Amino acid sequence: MADCARVMNPTTDLVERRFERIIGSSVALESVLDLVEQVAATDSTVLIEGETGTGKELIAHAIHNASHRSGRAFIKLNCAAIPLDLLESELFGHEKGAFTGAIAQKIGRFEMADKGTLFLDEVGDIPPALQPKLLRVLQEQEFERLGSGRTHKVDVRLVAATNRNLVKMVARGQFRCDLYYRLNVFPLLLPALRERREDIPALVTHFVELFSRRMGKQVDSIPPQTMAAFQSYSWPGNIRELQNLVERAVILSRDGVFPNPLHKNQTEVMIPTLHRTRTFYTSRTLDDSDRGLILETLEQTRWLVGGPRGAAAKLGLKRTTLIAIMRRLDILRPIHQEGTDCAV
């Protein structure tokens, strides 16, 4: 591919051979992969932490593929994507008639993952009422399906992931401290893309080749100024954002030239709130004052997010947008729970 720096040195080749679909040769990435190799040989629980879009699921796959369980099932569940009233059934299964709508027996993810690996993404979203049951199955390797008194034994290796600060959640009483310590046996902190900028050319080239092949389009060159723009951008959405922008640019490419999609990606919107107006960046480059503004608005609306009198309306945002920003900034309404008085 002309004028496109294809970063394919021996180190990168080695990384791609050892860990499928993990692209890069930076020191930050290599240090994580060294830890992955060490922990993969064990059955220890792994907690993968990092910002949204940093590749936590890929790392979980790498741990499984490098383990002695690689010939067994790799089962995954995004805890944030399942309605709270169905999450227990998804994890542990249920018997026919266990609740309204349970028209047949259902096998849960723990049973599916027996002798293999279970990957729980967004583990910080597991509701407090369900956390003791998860703790029990991690400690005892046994559980009961909903509507059944029969105990099932399993042999499951757990890999969990979160983009939340669980330590802060424990301190606020929003996450059980004993469950946190049980999950945090072997922590892995994934670097943000801005902390491994030297990997960006290889990632851009990889995704350009991937999407041009899928779309049947020919992309022959990436202008140096476009690659420089990619390397200087802050990437708040990390690799997922880069992947999506590359896909967009391949769609828009003409005459075999890869266009720069970044100049249209950073826009400002004004957020009116109370008696003042502040600048808020949709590229999610938020500072402490933005966090303070959101918290102040939430306090004034008594933590009402949606509706005409909610914080989202006062901030000039959609409800879903504000919820996404709150999750990214780890903004949660303070609550008090019993049985979580652990200092972290």
Side-chain angles (χ1 to χ4, degrees):
M1 186 176 291
D3 302 326
C4 180
R6 175 64 171 168
V7 181
M8 290 296 290
N9 56 39
T11 304
T12 305
D13 286 332
L14 179 62
V15 170
E16 289 193 84
R17 282 197 299 270
R18 289 182 315 185
F19 303 107
E20 183 182 3
R21 296 191 298 158
I22 297 178
I23 309 295
S25 59
S26 63
V27 173
L29 179 61
E30 286 283 2
S31 63
V32 170
L33 297 182
D34 286 342
L35 293 173
V36 167
E37 285 192 314
Q38 294 178 57
V39 75
T42 74
D43 280 330
S44 297
T45 300
V46 179
L47 178 61
I48 305 172
E49 299 175 283
E51 297 178 10
T52 297
T54 49
K56 293 185 284 293
E57 184 175 336
L58 283 180
I59 293 297
H61 266 289
I63 292 170
H64 174 74
N65 291 339
S67 74
H68 66 88
R69 298 174 181 262
S70 59
R72 299 286 187 165
F74 177 86
I75 304 297
K76 59 185 179 181
L77 177 67
N78 187 327
C79 301
I82 306 296
L84 299 184
D85 56 341
L86 296 180
L87 185 55
E88 183 174 0
S89 173
E90 286 293 328
L91 286 170
F92 308 121
H94 64 252
E95 299 293 342
K96 180 179 178 180
F99 52 85
T100 303
I103 59 175
Q105 184 188 76
K106 176 183 176 64
I107 303 299
R109 304 300 173 98
F110 271 97
E111 278 186 86
M112 293 180 189
D114 191 28
K115 303 296 190 298
T117 302
L118 176 61
F119 173 53
L120 294 183
D121 199 6
E122 304 296 350
V123 72
D125 284 83
I126 293 179
L130 192 53
Q131 291 175 19
K133 296 183 179 181
L134 177 60
L135 177 64
R136 182 202 169 196
V137 72
L138 293 181
Q139 291 177 334
E140 308 296 336
Q141 292 280 289
E142 62 182 29
F143 64 93
E144 291 83 34
R145 295 185 193 140
L146 284 174
S148 171
R150 179 186 171 191
T151 298
H152 295 266
K153 298 286 292 186
V154 288
D155 173 16
V156 173
R157 199 264 181 86
L158 183 75
V159 179
T162 183
N163 61 2
R164 295 193 179 194
N165 189 324
L166 295 185
V167 172
K168 289 184 178 179
M169 291 182 67
V170 170
R172 295 169 185 162
Q174 296 158 340
F175 200 84
R176 291 183 64 99
C177 62
D178 45 6
L179 178 57
Y180 168 73
Y181 288 126
R182 187 62 186 80
L183 292 172
N184 198 43
V185 175
F186 194 91
L188 281 176
L189 179 61
L190 302 193
L193 186 55
R194 61 184 173 275
E195 297 168 353
R196 41 177 293 216
R197 293 183 185 276
E198 58 268 48
D199 290 335
I200 290 176
L203 287 163
V204 171
T205 304
H206 168 76
F207 288 125
V208 167
E209 292 177 347
L210 175 67
F211 291 119
S212 60
R213 185 168 60 249
R214 286 183 182 176
M215 299 175 192
K217 300 192 70 171
Q218 184 173 347
V219 178
D220 298 312
S221 65
I222 300 177
Q225 60 270 29
T226 298
M227 188 65 81
F230 269 73
Q231 288 189 276
S232 61
Y233 180 52
S234 62
W235 297 110
N238 293 291
I239 299 172
R240 185 177 297 123
E241 181 183 12
L242 182 146
Q243 177 180 345
N244 292 340
L245 280 180
V246 169
E247 182 176 5
R248 181 190 310 170
V250 170
I251 294 172
L252 297 174
S253 63
R254 293 181 179 178
D255 303 321
V257 178
F258 182 80
N260 181 5
L262 283 169
H263 70 285
K264 295 181 180 179
N265 194 51
Q266 301 177 46
T267 58
E268 294 182 4
V269 293
M270 303 304 290
I271 293 188
T273 176
L274 305 177
H275 303 294
R276 54 190 172 137
T277 301
R278 293 176 55 90
T279 301
F280 204 78
Y281 291 87
T282 57
S283 61
R284 298 178 291 184
T285 52
L286 308 177
D287 57 22
D288 290 340
S289 61
D290 295 315
R291 178 187 176 86
L293 174 62
I294 293 173
L295 285 169
E296 179 184 335
T297 307
L298 286 167
E299 291 290 344
Q300 292 173 350
T301 62
R302 296 186 178 182
W303 289 83
L304 179 64
V305 175
R309 298 182 180 180
K314 289 182 176 293
L315 292 169
L317 295 172
K318 292 182 179 179
R319 175 182 171 275
T320 53
T321 300
L322 178 56
I323 290 174
I325 293 172
M326 288 169 63
R327 290 188 58 187
R328 189 159 48 247
L329 293 179
D330 195 32
I331 296 176
L332 297 168
R333 182 173 184 171
I335 60 176
H336 299 285
Q337 303 172 38
E338 295 181 0
T340 58
D341 306 338
C342 279
V344 177

